[in-house]
Amino acid sequence: MTDDENVLARIDTSRPHTARIWNYWTGGKDNYSVDREAGDQIRQLHPGIGDYALADRLFLGRSVHHLAADVGIRQFLDIGTGLPSADNTHEVAQRATPDARIVYVDNDPLVLAHARALLTSTPEGRTDYLDADLRDVDTILERAAGTLDFTQPVALMLLGVVIFVEDDEESYGIVRRLMDALPVGSHLVLSHTITSPAMPDVDAAVAFWNEHGTPRLTQRTPQQLTRYFDGLDLLEPGVVSCSRWRPQVADGEVPDEVAMFGGVGRKAEQKAADQA
C-alpha cells in the first residue's frame, strides 16, 4: 500500500468530523454527506454557527498580518491546521514578509491528504507540514526545528484545537510547554469555543456534536481561556469574541459577538526572568 493509500485508509467517512464540518460551514468542498447532514443539524440548534466559523478564520488573518507586518514575526508554528482554505497562515504571513517560515501540524488524515496546498511558498520563505498530535509536544518541537529557528521569535497558532483536550490541566500544560520552548518575543495566538449563560444554544450544539461526531469537544469560559495567557503580555483588546479582535469596521461599529473567543499574547522579558 502506498503512502497516499495509507492516508486515505485512515479517513472515516461513516461519522461526521469537525474539520470537515468546519470546511462545509466556511464554503469548502472537502467534506462528505455525513458532515453536511450533521452541520445542518447543528446549524438548526445554533443558527449562528457559520458566523463564528468565519469569525475565527478572519481572526487568523488579522492576527497573522499584525504579527508579520507590524511586529516583525518571521516564523509561525500552526498546530491544528485544519483543511486548507483561503488565506492560510503562510499566505497571509508571506504577503507581509516574503521570507516568513511556517510549519503546519495536524493529525487529521484528510488534512494530510490535502497538505500539498499548504506547502506552497514564496522563493524567500518556506513551509512544512508535520503529521502529529497536539499532545506530542516533544515530537512537534523536534521536527519543527528542521524549518524554524527556535532562537528567534515564533508565533504559536492554536486556533480551535485545545478544545479537543478534555482535561483542563493537561490543556494548560501543553500550551505552557510549547511556549516555554520559544524565546522571548514569541507570541501565542489562541481561539476556543466558549460556554456562556448568554449563549445556551451553543451548549446544545456542542452536546449534539459530542453525541454524534468525532472528536469530542470541550467548552470553556472566557475566564478559563484567559488562563492560557498566564505569564504573557496580553495584547489589546484581550480575550474577546474573535469578531471583536481588532475588527476592520467603520468607526464606532461593534461586530456581533460570537461564541468563538480568541486572544494574542507576547512572551516578554519578565517571563524569562521569572523562569531564571
Side-chain angles (χ1 to χ4, degrees), residues 2 10 39 41 51 72 107 124-126 136 174-175 180 182 190 234 242 244 255 271-272 274:
T2 67
R10 290 168 50 193
Q41 288 177 288
D51 293 336
N107 68 341
E124 304 94 328
R126 183 176 171 186
D136 297 333
I174 289 170
V175 176
D180 283 350
L182 305 181
L190 185 144
L234 193 58
C242 285
R244 296 180 177 179
K271 174 67 175 178
D274 289 343

Side-chain angles (χ1 to χ4, degrees), residues 66-236:
H66 169 69
L67 294 176
D70 302 330
V71 179
I73 298 294
R74 297 292 191 272
Q75 304 186 106
F76 295 80
L77 178 57
D78 187 335
I79 305 178
T81 304
L83 288 162
S85 182
D87 279 348
N88 299 294
T89 297
H90 74 284
E91 293 168 319
V92 177
Q94 290 181 345
R95 275 201 299 268
T97 54
D99 62 339
R101 294 185 167 215
I102 295 88
V103 172
Y104 291 106
V105 182
D106 207 298
N107 68 341
D108 183 344
L110 189 60
V111 177
L112 177 59
H114 289 79
R116 294 183 189 89
L118 297 171
L119 296 179
T120 58
S121 175
T122 58
E124 304 94 328
R126 183 176 171 186
T127 63
D128 196 7
Y129 178 90
L130 307 180
D131 181 13
D133 187 274
L134 170 65
R135 296 173 177 83
D136 297 333
V137 173
D138 292 339
T139 297
I140 290 172
L141 293 172
E142 179 181 354
R143 294 176 61 192
T147 300
L148 306 179
D149 177 0
F150 286 130
T151 68
Q152 299 298 316
V154 175
L156 173 63
M157 311 290 296
L158 297 174
L159 300 186
V161 63
V162 292
I163 191 174
F164 300 123
V165 182
E166 184 173 1
D167 183 82
D168 289 341
E169 295 307 316
E170 181 184 9
S171 71
Y172 294 132
I174 289 170
V175 176
R176 188 162 51 248
R177 287 175 61 199
L178 287 164
M179 287 304 299
D180 283 350
L182 305 181
V184 166
S186 295
H187 286 69
L188 170 65
V189 182
L190 185 144
S191 68
H192 198 298
T193 305
I194 65 159
T195 180
S196 167
M199 301 177 178
D201 52 340
V202 178
D203 296 347
V206 171
F208 173 86
W209 172 259
N210 285 341
E211 182 179 352
H212 300 281
T214 184
R216 289 179 58 84
L217 311 180
T218 299
Q219 293 168 276
R220 294 182 171 95
T221 66
Q223 293 74 25
Q224 288 175 304
L225 265 61
T226 301
R227 185 178 163 191
Y228 288 109
F229 296 92
D230 282 357
L232 305 178
D233 290 342
L234 193 58
L235 276 58
E236 292 293 336

